[in-house]
């Protein structure tokens, strides 16, 4: 086996607030694994959150951890049992490996596996490195007309596909999305791909909404922040009312912010019998106007990552059903990974998806 790099540089979150580059041995592979030369990794909000806050919910950083989980690369070695991949194949990496044996796995809900090992979720190391060993059945060969950059975007796109699946978007539906970050924008793209007739997007950032004008949305809603001291529910009521001056209620509302006010408005803006999907991660406990659920039969659904999305994402990107390329605004070489993280944190220069190239 000849390797393109002599070394294996890893982007390690040593502790909260401290990212360092560290050389580690090239991993050895088990019979069911492949060794990947990681070429592209997108920075996710969760990577930045671990860096700045040292944890997300119950997942706390207790030891140094390699960051990154939105990756694509080239197969450089295959384990003895691997039949469907060869050296040289370009693959999208599904970063969570489930046990394949439990009830959740056997019923196809493998994202809910209790033994899930997900890259860059403590204590599991992520993919931001030169060489990464991964279960071969969670690597998906991509066709020649897809770039590795696009393949890396399949991870956040998967969240949008799973969201569309859970919300049962139908042809002609009105869909409203809160949050114009990468996942919110991909939810708009996916809603259109699923046949939505009208997609609106709401955010507090005018520049994000300006971008959204040319990305799978029909209308853009600029949100103002609550007045000082204004209770969330009062802000949400008056803002939802203002939104309805120009928008109709939606069959499906997707919250990609996690903010309590946006979740409250999502419930208020769903049609009778409509569906709200909570994609964003915010405060663990929130105060919601539950009368919307009872009086109007609005369904509220949660999602946890995604399942069975990669093969479809590969097909959709290859067919041009969705274009993820406009979301890729910046890229950095692996050696400048810290600068890339600083860039995402600042949000400057219209950054949407920032990639690290290995
Ligand atoms: Zn992600
Ligand atoms: Zn399992």
């Amino acid at each position: 086996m000849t390797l393109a790099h002599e070394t294996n540089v890893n982007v390690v979150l040593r502790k909260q607030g401290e990212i360092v580059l560290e050389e580690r041995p090239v991993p050895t592979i088990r019979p069911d694994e492949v060794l990947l030369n990681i070429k592209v990794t997108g920075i996710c909000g969760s990577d930045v959150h671990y860096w700045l806050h040292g944890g997300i919910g119950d997942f706390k950083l207790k030891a140094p951890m390699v960051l990154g989980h939105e990756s694509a690369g080239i197969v450089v070695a295959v384990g003895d049992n691997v039949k469907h991949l060869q050296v040289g194949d370009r693959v999208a990496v599904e970063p969570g490996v489930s046990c394949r044996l439990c009830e959740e796995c056997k019923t196809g809900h493998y994202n809910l596996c209790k033994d899930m090992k997900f890259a860059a979720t403590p204590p599991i190391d992520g993919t931001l490195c030169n060489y990464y060993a991964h279960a071969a059945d969670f690597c998906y060969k991509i066709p020649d007309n897809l770039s590795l950059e696009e393949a890396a975007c399949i991870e956040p796109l998967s969240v949008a596909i799973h969201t569309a699946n859970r919300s049962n978007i139908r042809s002609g539906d009105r869909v409203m999305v809160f949050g114009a970050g990468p996942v919110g924008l991909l939810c708009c793209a996916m809603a259109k791909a699923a046949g939505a007739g009208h997609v609106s997007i709401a955010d507090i950032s005018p520049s994000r909404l300006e971008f959204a004008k040319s990305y799978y949305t029909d209308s853009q809603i600029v949100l103002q922040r609550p007045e000082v001291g204004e209770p969330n529910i009062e802000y949400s009521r008056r803002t939802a009312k203002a939104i309805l001056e120009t928008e109709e209620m939606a069959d499906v509302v997707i919250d990609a912010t996690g903010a309590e006010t946006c979740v409250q408005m999502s419930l208020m803006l769903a049609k009778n019998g409509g569906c709200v999907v909570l994609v964003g991660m915010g405060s663990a406990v929130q105060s919601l106007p539950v009368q919307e659920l009872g009086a109007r039969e609005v369904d509220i659904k949660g999602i946890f990552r995604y399942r069975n999305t990669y093969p479809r994402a590969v097909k959709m990107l290859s067919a041009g059903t969705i274009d993820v390329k406009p979301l890729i605004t910046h890229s950095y070489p692996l050696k400048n990974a810290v600068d890339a993280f600083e860039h995402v944190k600042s949000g400057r220069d219209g950054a949407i998806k920032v990639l690290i190239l290995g």
Side-chain angles (χ1 to χ4, degrees):
M1 174 171 79
T2 47
L3 299 177
H5 301 259
E6 314 268 283
T7 56
N8 181 24
V9 173
N10 286 249
V11 179
V12 179
L13 179 59
R14 190 173 278 165
K15 59 181 193 325
Q16 182 180 346
E18 191 190 351
I19 296 173
V20 294
L21 299 189
E22 206 175 280
E23 270 192 34
R24 294 190 174 185
V26 173
T28 51
I29 51 171
R30 292 196 288 259
D32 296 321
E33 290 183 331
V34 290
L35 182 65
L36 301 171
N37 178 197
I38 298 291
K39 289 291 187 190
V40 184
T41 302
I43 299 180
C44 178
S46 70
D47 294 310
V48 175
H49 204 90
Y50 281 120
W51 170 43
L52 298 178
H53 305 285
I56 297 177
D58 291 340
F59 296 107
K60 301 257 188 287
L61 186 78
K62 294 191 179 114
M65 175 182 81
V66 181
L67 290 166
H69 61 268
E70 302 180 359
S71 287
I74 299 173
V75 176
V76 291
V78 295
D80 290 341
N81 297 343
V82 177
K83 302 276 184 283
H84 75 293
L85 292 173
Q86 295 180 340
V87 170
D89 284 347
R90 298 150 72 245
V91 296
V93 182
E94 181 172 357
V97 177
S98 59
C99 81
R100 310 168 185 82
L101 300 172
C102 69
E103 184 183 336
E104 287 86 347
C105 284
K106 286 185 150 180
T107 55
H109 304 77
Y110 66 86
N111 58 321
L112 305 176
C113 173
K114 290 174 205 74
D115 288 323
M116 173 65 85
K117 297 193 170 38
F118 200 94
T121 297
I124 307 295
D125 279 328
T127 57
L128 251 177
C129 57
N130 294 125
Y131 293 103
Y132 186 74
H134 199 56
D137 57 326
F138 285 90
C139 294
Y140 303 84
K141 187 175 173 175
I142 59 169
D144 292 343
N145 74 341
L146 271 199
S147 66
L148 287 163
E149 284 83 353
E150 291 167 274
C153 294
I154 290 178
E155 204 278 336
L157 174 58
S158 286
V159 176
I161 296 174
H162 189 45
T163 300
N165 288 345
R166 292 272 287 154
S167 64
N168 272 323
I169 295 171
R170 291 174 187 218
S171 179
D173 274 355
R174 288 191 80 96
V175 175
M176 192 178 291
V177 177
F178 282 91
V183 169
L185 290 164
L186 285 166
C187 285
C188 294
M190 194 54 215
K192 281 281 182 186
H198 185 101
V199 176
S200 10
I201 190 160
D203 200 287
I204 51 171
S205 160
S207 64
R208 284 269 168 103
L209 292 175
E210 192 55 39
F211 174 87
K213 274 185 187 167
S214 58
Y215 199 75
Y216 302 105
T217 65
D218 301 292
S219 57
Q220 302 79 29
I221 303 159
V222 189
L223 299 173
Q224 311 299 329
R225 290 182 187 280
E227 312 272 344
V228 177
E230 183 179 25
N232 278 353
I233 191 70
E234 281 172 30
Y235 164 83
S236 298
R237 283 220 175 87
R238 83 177 161 81
T239 308
K241 201 164 157 236
I243 289 173
L244 288 176
E245 284 169 19
T246 53
E247 295 281 332
E248 290 172 32
M249 292 177 101
D251 299 277
V252 173
V253 187
I254 296 165
D255 174 64
T257 70
E260 184 178 86
T261 50
C262 293
V263 178
Q264 291 173 341
M265 288 189 282
S266 296
L267 295 183
M268 295 168 189
L269 292 167
K271 272 194 344 211
N272 290 1
C275 176
V276 171
V277 188
L278 304 184
V279 181
M281 281 193 284
S283 305
V285 178
Q286 304 192 351
S287 168
L288 301 181
V290 289
Q291 82 271 20
E292 307 285 345
L293 311 182
R296 308 198 300 104
E297 289 198 356
V298 171
D299 286 341
I300 183 164
K301 294 188 177 184
I303 68 151
F304 185 60
R305 298 177 181 144
Y306 44 79
R307 55 180 175 252
N308 307 307
T309 52
Y310 270 67
R312 190 136 73 93
V314 170
K315 281 189 275 186
M316 282 197 307
L317 293 182
S318 178
T321 314
I322 285 180
D323 186 3
V324 293
K325 294 189 291 294
L327 299 178
I328 302 169
T329 51
H330 299 85
S331 59
Y332 287 80
L334 187 65
K335 65 175 169 32
N336 297 342
V338 176
D339 297 337
F341 275 85
E342 293 284 357
H343 192 153
V344 177
K345 179 182 151 195
S346 76
R348 69 175 193 270
D349 307 329
I352 296 176
K353 186 50 82 179
V354 177
L355 302 180
I356 294 178
L357 308 179

